[in-house]
Amino acid sequence: MTTTREGGVTGPVSGDGHATRERSRPTPAGAAPTDATLARELLDGLAEAVVTADAQGVVTLVNAMAVELLPEVTPGTPLAGAPMPALAGAARAGADVFETEHRGRRLRGVRRTLKGPGHAWYVRDVTEERARTDALLAERSRTAFLARAGSRLGVSLHREQTQRTTVTLPVPYLADAALLVHRAPPPAPADAEPVWVRFADGDPGPLVGTGPAELADSVPGLAEALDGDRTDARPWLDAELADLGRLLPDGFGRPGTVLVTPVLGAGGPTGALILVRRAGRTGFDERDTDVAREFAARAGAALATAELYGEQTHLARVLQASLLPPRLPEIPGVALAGGYRAAGDSLRIGGDFYDVSATGDGGTFALGDVCGKGVGAAVLTGRVRQSIQTLRLVEQRPLELMALLNRALFDAPEATRRNQFTTLLLGAFAAGPDGGVTLRVAGGGHPSPLVVTAAGAVRTATVGGMPVGALSDARFVEVELRLAPGELLLAYTDGVTEARGGPGAIEMFGAGRLRRALASGAGLPPRAMVDRLLQLVDEWLDGQGHDDIAMLAIAAAPGG
């Protein structure tokens, strides 16, 4: 048997297993190679190391790649005593595989039993393969982290919650501690202490604090990041970080590596993200820095969205104070109750409304539904209600008041008036001497009110008319009616009848179901009737979205 060494050295293997080193003689030109020579050339051409051993575990052959990867393993030596611990251990244990680091390379060996006595180890250099696998797994991990971060950051629309999420997500994947630092918002002075949110591995939750004032100057790159400097984020290994250390949990130790990156929103800088690794952890490499920068960009976008939502919420709350239905006044001899549901909007503002005002001999009411939804509808609602309240100073008769309101809305500037109108009921009522209530109701394109008697009969108080603010020569209709004791008038918006729900979640509540609900509640006072109707509609909707809902019930007061 012969053995080939790197560089073309071959030699026979002696009886004691040791190869004698001599220069191989080339096969004469035209002569066919022997089987042994051909087999040897095939072995030396393999990209993996081949080591064979006899039944006693003594090495009998090594190919050229084995000489390169495993120079310590030579023919005639026992595998169990080879100066390569992983291979020797596998030989002693009778294992079939091993994987180890050897001479700066990653090697993987597989044992195969030969037909004759003995076996062979096939050892492959998997360094590049493992590096590619590790890189792929790392990239997948980074992609999964950023995807999870984007999902989590997009959930909350509240600024404080988004800030807490921003410092929670990077720990422990990117860092052992994370701080989000931002300057105090106005009206705080420019030299106010910075505000920070911190989360560290092992903390029960994020912690919020302020100061110290010199923090921005003591952490390299922090002042620039707070100013929105878009320079690349980079780690600081040897910075003096005593002030930063005071912001870390007790027992955290001196920071090992610190990475500072700006957090930018659509309107400019919203803060700076500081990622801190303990001294025993490896520093931030280029990919870590790229991931931190991408995460900070997503956090900045989420914070900007949250701040915009906060501004809109504040605006909505200002509108809310003037648009939510007011407390109903006490009118002698008349019982009143109102109900309101905004259209699936947590800000609780919408385009349906009702108002009641006391007069010298009774009261007036308005119930309407402006076109559109949301803030635009709310603004128009405010205009309509303010106009009604102002015009009541000069006119309280429902039909005449509606004509004045139509003119006021139609005469608004074109940009303000375009596509804006409302359906409306205006009424005036007073307690009668016989214990009933007399009413005059004018209609402007709104669903006619319903009257339910004490016996459970339901009739329509038909009013028609055209929407208010749509046409300059719009026509309106007025009716007069009287409610006997025990009777009740219900004015409502189409959000009641058009509420979709039921078994298929698409069927409307409908006028028929509303009339049956009124009939079954005949004799109830206005407050109980309104509560009953709202409950029935809520049950019908079963949590689904809906249009604005408003209703107003009027009846004679008991004993009035």
Side-chain angles (χ1 to χ4, degrees):
M1 182 178 295
T2 61
T3 181
T4 303
R5 301 297 183 186
E6 185 178 14
V9 177
T10 63
V13 178
S14 64
D16 60 0
H18 293 282
T20 58
R21 300 178 62 85
E22 62 180 36
R23 183 69 59 185
S24 60
R25 297 185 179 89
T27 303
T34 65
D35 290 345
T37 302
L38 181 59
R40 188 70 211 196
E41 289 179 355
L42 291 173
L43 281 174
D44 287 342
L46 295 177
E48 58 186 357
V50 179
V51 178
T52 64
D54 59 19
Q56 287 71 42
V58 177
V59 178
T60 57
L61 178 145
V62 291
N63 71 344
M65 185 55 69
V67 174
E68 180 179 343
L69 294 179
L70 311 170
E72 303 89 346
V73 180
T74 58
T77 60
L79 272 180
M84 181 182 177
L87 177 58
R92 289 193 299 269
D96 291 329
V97 294
F98 73 85
E99 187 167 332
T100 186
E101 294 283 343
H102 185 65
R103 293 179 175 269
R105 310 296 293 177
R106 188 74 180 177
L107 304 181
R108 181 184 297 151
V110 178
R111 181 180 181 271
R112 294 286 184 268
T113 301
L114 301 177
K115 287 186 176 180
H119 58 272
W121 279 97
Y122 297 87
V123 182
R124 188 157 57 94
D125 185 348
V126 295
T127 305
E128 284 74 19
E129 178 184 331
R130 175 56 64 88
R132 288 192 297 270
T133 300
D134 291 345
L136 177 60
L137 293 176
E139 189 61 32
R140 287 179 177 175
S141 176
R142 296 184 184 104
T143 301
F145 166 74
L146 290 174
R148 184 172 67 255
S151 177
R152 288 277 305 279
L153 287 168
V155 169
S156 175
L157 289 176
H158 298 282
R159 186 171 183 268
E160 291 75 13
Q161 179 61 40
T162 304
Q163 289 176 337
R164 291 192 291 269
T165 303
T166 298
V167 296
T168 302
L169 284 173
V171 179
Y173 179 77
L174 280 177
D176 298 308
L179 292 98
L180 179 64
V181 182
H182 61 93
R183 293 192 171 98
D191 58 350
E193 291 186 339
V195 181
W196 49 265
V197 184
R198 184 205 78 200
F199 182 74
D201 194 14
D203 281 353
L207 180 67
V208 180
T210 59
E214 60 274 13
L215 177 64
D217 297 326
S218 64
V219 179
L222 180 55
E224 293 80 358
L226 290 173
D227 290 333
D229 189 351
R230 291 180 178 269
T231 57
D232 290 343
R234 57 193 179 97
W236 299 86
L237 295 172
D238 302 318
E240 179 55 50
L241 300 171
D243 291 321
L244 178 61
R246 290 202 293 269
L247 303 185
L248 298 174
D250 294 338
F252 187 89
R254 180 179 175 81
T257 311
V258 177
L259 183 66
V260 181
T261 183
V263 178
L264 302 174
T270 60
L273 180 64
I274 304 176
L275 301 177
V276 185
R277 288 184 175 178
R278 289 188 171 93
R281 186 171 175 178
T282 57
F284 296 95
D285 59 23
E286 183 178 356
R287 287 297 300 150
D288 292 334
T289 302
D290 290 342
V291 172
R293 186 188 304 116
E294 176 65 22
F295 173 75
R298 298 188 183 197
L303 285 167
T305 301
E307 289 175 357
L308 177 61
Y309 178 79
E311 294 174 359
Q312 293 176 337
T313 301
H314 175 71
L315 174 61
R317 286 173 178 168
V318 172
L319 289 172
Q320 176 187 17
S322 62
L323 295 178
L324 287 179
R327 181 185 296 273
L328 298 180
E330 299 238 353
I331 308 293
V334 180
L336 301 166
Y340 179 74
R341 294 281 191 277
D345 187 350
S346 61
L347 298 180
R348 299 174 59 208
I349 58 175
D352 289 13
F353 67 94
Y354 64 84
D355 273 318
V356 177
S357 298
T359 61
D361 57 351
T364 62
F365 74 86
L367 183 139
D369 181 0
V370 304
C371 67
K373 296 183 179 69
V375 174
V379 172
L380 179 56
T381 300
R383 289 184 56 227
V384 171
R385 291 175 61 181
Q386 291 297 324
S387 298
I388 292 173
Q389 291 175 8
T390 302
L391 293 173
R392 275 176 178 160
L393 298 175
V394 296
E395 181 60 74
Q396 295 183 359
R397 294 173 296 174
L399 187 62
E400 289 75 5
L401 178 59
M402 190 167 294
L404 288 176
L405 176 64
N406 183 72
R407 181 175 178 179
L409 295 178
F410 199 83
D411 288 345
E414 178 67 19
T416 303
R417 184 183 58 80
R418 185 180 295 121
N419 297 326
Q420 292 192 343
F421 58 87
T422 180
T423 64
L424 185 65
L425 293 176
L426 292 179
F429 57 87
D434 59 351
V437 176
T438 58
L439 297 101
R440 296 173 60 191
V441 182
H446 196 84
S448 297
L450 299 174
V451 176
V452 56
T453 68
V458 179
R459 68 178 187 272
T460 302
T462 304
V463 294
M466 304 171 68
V468 181
L471 296 172
S472 59
D473 57 350
R475 297 181 179 181
F476 310 109
V477 178
E478 181 182 273
V479 297
E480 295 186 13
L481 62 149
R482 174 185 173 279
L483 298 178
E487 294 185 335
L488 177 145
L489 178 138
L490 178 75
Y492 62 93
T493 60
D494 58 12
V496 177
T497 54
E498 295 179 1
R500 292 185 180 271
I506 59 173
E507 183 182 354
M508 288 187 181
F509 190 79
R513 191 170 278 106
L514 174 60
R515 297 173 76 95
R516 290 193 295 272
L518 284 170
S520 65
L524 291 176
R527 180 73 271 160
M529 179 66 81
V530 168
D531 290 344
R532 171 181 168 79
L533 293 175
L534 288 176
Q535 179 182 357
L536 290 174
V537 173
D538 288 342
E539 291 173 354
W540 181 256
L541 290 166
D542 194 22
Q544 295 191 101
H546 58 86
D547 199 356
D548 298 328
I549 294 172
M551 59 181 71
L552 179 66
I554 303 175

